[in-house]
Amino acid sequence: MNLEITEKAIEWFKNELEFNDDQALRIFVRYGGEFQLKQGFSPAFTVDPLSASEIGFKDVKNDIPFFIDEKDLWYFEGNDLVIDLNDNGEIKYEVKTSK
């Protein structure tokens, strides 16, 4: 599993979301949604304190920490997820199958 957030998406997150000390972008699994990596579920995001989670994956890009909780790793297993912007300037998810 690999999670990549493009430069355009990082800028969008910086402009649209408010990050305080000890807060990070949390990528999590929700029921439903258009992009479904596994049937019935899709990725989503929120800003949460790092200290409030059991972190399974964590990285930092352009001073924005982002993570996935341990309990949500099953959803991303075996795939590489790219978070980018679509032509309308909205967040989009793309998947590349891991070898």
Side-chain angles (χ1 to χ4, degrees), residues 24-44:
L25 182 68
R26 179 170 70 102
I27 311 298
F28 65 97
V29 179
R30 68 180 180 137
Y31 184 72
E34 289 184 33
F35 177 88
Q36 295 189 1
L37 188 55
K38 293 194 166 85
Q39 187 174 1
F41 299 92
S42 63

Side-chain angles (χ1 to χ4, degrees), residues 5 8-10 15 25 31 42-43 51-53 56-58 65-67 70-71 73 86-87 96 99:
I5 303 178
K8 292 187 292 186
I10 286 290
N15 292 330
L25 182 68
Y31 184 72
S42 63
S51 58
S53 298
F57 174 88
K58 180 183 172 201
F66 57 95
F67 69 97
E70 182 72 35
K71 66 182 172 91
L73 288 178
N86 64 20
D87 293 337
K96 299 176 197 173
K99 293 182 180 182

Side-chain angles (χ1 to χ4, degrees), residues 6 30 40 45 50 73 80:
T6 66
R30 68 180 180 137
F45 58 86
L50 285 167
L73 288 178
D80 293 338

